[in-house]
Amino acid sequence: MDSKTLAIAAILGIPLIGICPAHAGVVADGPQSFSQLSSLGKVLRNAEQNKQTVHILYVHGMGYVPLDDGDSKSFREGICRLLPGCQLPSGRPPRDYADKGRFADKAPVPVYEYLGKPVWTDAPQWNASAPYVDHYVLRLRNGGSIVVDDINWWPLVLPLKCRVIMADDARLAGPDPALINLCAKATTPDARYSGRFLSYQWLNLKDAGNPQARPKRGALLNRTIKGSVLDWGFADAMMALGSMHDLFREGMRQLFVKSARFHADGSSTDEWVQQAARRAPDREFIAVTHSLGSYLVFSTLNPDTGETKTVNYKQPETAADREDLAAQYILARTSLIYFFANQVSLLELANLELANVGGEKPSPTEPAASVPATPGPSGNAMPGNSFVKQLKTWKTLRQDFTGKLPSTTSKPQFVAWSDPSDLLSWYVPAIEETDVVNLYVRNSWWHWIFADPTTAHDGYANNLHVLRTMLDLEKPTEIKRGRE
């Protein structure tokens, strides 16, 4: 237990002797058929039998604090700890930046304003905000490999969070020293990639009026939760679902192309384009996503297709075609997605649609607000293209790839992990066209009065019960309705 949790526990008067241990076993919300529960372990066994490489798209969620070894570090180490003979890579992994369209070198700086002030003022700032993917290759005892593509979209949110949210809230509630120091970290160019940065100084402490010295006006518990959960975390969702969503979507789509091109031997080729055209079962993909990351994965699908998705495996002629095809290629080969800290129920509130009852179109005399939003060519891609429609598109892609009829193929499955003490996780209800499995775990030391909200939200990849269940080494226990 860290010093922050101990301090909060002392303030609340919680007797430490009564605190229950962390990492309790996995509990599943029933009734469900757990014999049909898919898993990373099953995918690995299938890939070994067919001599295929498994690619794991690991996408961090809101409130991520950048680490030199990536958000997937604990996940990679835990997987190798549980798989006999698994070897972790050494040194810096190969990296690919989003580098096309608005993320291209010397591309114009996007004109976004916040309260009348520009988000990005020059090319270095914009280049420092490019999303990127790090490719980690885990070597297995049988000669196979697991590629973990650690997808990083966090650079897009640091400018506003550092220069505005964190700096200004230091005046109100008081500073969060660790996060403000992160924002003030010195600019370090990435020597391997011209014009890119390993870190960027988004906050000059002197120019910002030395926020570290601000008085701590808010109560410790309230100030801690607001700084880490709301200021640093929830602000990400506001940006990702608002008018900046097209930037997130464009970056994610470009990184999907990079992931499709990368091979376990370290090479990057366009062989995937031909494999897509042949519907060849060349690779297996699994997505492991945290909170907001799950939404961003599905936003890569073309927003104009919706329920009437027609798979088009033509040779891509434009960058947009190439990105469409990469998203289709990857999700067609993805049978399972893990959600850590599920926010579907919350985020979908920003994506409501007007029901089209009886196939009737909205009357032109109705108020404009009653007409469902439709995405423009470069506008917000989520309104008018709900999460349910994206899941239906995923199912269509899977059916086309496997060559099975809807009545004979199993639905794509996502496994929703939640810690009941996680402030930013919600139960996922049944969703048409998809198998939803809710699993509950405890990631932190807890007492019936309080549990550390940060550990509860971020501890899934550190929880060996979670990893053992994913690898099919441990079975969940089903909740009996009305009692646990």
Side-chain angles (χ1 to χ4, degrees), residues 244-264:
M244 277 178 57
H245 178 77
D246 58 330
L247 288 180
F248 286 80
R249 178 175 181 270
E250 185 174 343
M252 289 290 294
R253 282 163 59 87
Q254 290 189 31
L255 297 184
F256 266 42
V257 175
K258 306 295 187 182
S259 294
R261 298 188 76 243
F262 186 81
H263 298 281

Side-chain angles (χ1 to χ4, degrees), residues 18-34:
I19 291 180
C20 301
H23 293 185
V26 176
V27 177
D29 185 86
Q32 293 161 324
S33 176
F34 300 109

Side-chain angles (χ1 to χ4, degrees), residues 108-391:
V109 178
V111 183
Y112 282 84
E113 290 188 347
Y114 176 79
L115 295 177
K117 297 180 180 180
V119 178
W120 294 281
T121 59
D122 56 34
Q125 287 185 359
W126 175 234
N127 288 339
S129 298
Y132 64 89
V133 55
D134 283 334
H135 308 284
Y136 296 91
V137 181
L138 314 184
R139 302 297 179 187
L140 303 180
R141 181 175 58 183
N142 58 15
S145 303
I146 301 175
V147 175
V148 179
D149 284 329
D150 194 318
I151 293 179
N152 293 263
W153 52 263
W154 59 265
L156 283 169
V157 300
L158 283 197
L160 276 181
K161 287 204 299 189
C162 287
R163 295 184 312 193
V164 180
I165 302 298
M166 299 307 298
D168 287 353
D169 217 34
R171 296 173 176 268
L172 175 63
D176 186 313
L179 294 177
I180 288 179
N181 285 337
L182 174 65
C183 292
K185 196 173 181 179
T187 298
T188 305
D190 189 337
R192 298 193 301 180
Y193 305 95
S194 176
R196 305 298 182 183
F197 301 88
L198 295 177
S199 65
Y200 195 85
Q201 187 180 45
W202 291 110
L203 185 64
N204 184 299
L205 296 180
K206 183 178 180 181
D207 293 344
N210 193 15
Q212 297 284 42
R214 299 283 181 189
K216 297 177 175 62
R217 296 188 173 94
L220 174 60
L221 174 61
N222 303 58
R223 186 176 73 247
T224 299
I225 293 177
K226 187 179 183 187
S228 61
V229 177
L230 297 180
D231 293 348
W232 194 258
F234 210 69
D236 293 350
M238 299 298 99
M239 286 182 268
L241 296 181
S243 60
M244 277 178 57
H245 178 77
D246 58 330
L247 288 180
F248 286 80
R249 178 175 181 270
E250 185 174 343
M252 289 290 294
R253 282 163 59 87
Q254 290 189 31
L255 297 184
F256 266 42
V257 175
K258 306 295 187 182
S259 294
R261 298 188 76 243
F262 186 81
H263 298 281
D265 63 4
S267 64
S268 292
T269 71
D270 286 330
E271 181 183 357
W272 67 273
V273 177
Q274 289 72 41
Q275 299 285 14
R278 293 195 294 266
R279 275 81 159 173
D282 54 324
R283 289 187 274 185
E284 293 264 10
F285 284 85
I286 290 287
V288 179
T289 65
H290 199 287
S291 64
L292 181 59
S294 59
Y295 239 61
L296 296 178
V297 164
F298 282 101
S299 73
T300 60
L301 292 170
N302 192 315
D304 299 320
T305 56
E307 298 178 58
T308 59
K309 178 69 185 177
T310 301
V311 181
N312 183 3
Y313 290 109
K314 68 177 182 178
Q315 177 72 25
E317 298 176 356
T318 66
D321 289 340
R322 191 179 188 82
E323 292 162 10
D324 283 343
L325 187 59
Q328 293 177 31
Y329 168 84
I330 288 175
L331 286 171
R333 288 157 177 77
T334 302
S335 61
L336 172 66
I337 294 181
Y338 289 104
F339 289 5
F340 291 164
N342 311 285
Q343 294 165 1
V344 171
S345 297
L346 176 72
L347 299 178
E348 194 69 352
L349 292 174
N351 197 29
L352 301 180
E353 291 184 297
L354 181 67
N356 187 7
V357 180
E360 297 179 0
K361 295 182 179 180
S363 168
T365 61
E366 292 184 37
S370 68
V371 179
T374 54
S378 61
N380 189 334
M382 291 304 290
N385 194 39
S386 69
F387 191 73
V388 171
K389 286 185 177 179
Q390 300 284 18
L391 292 179

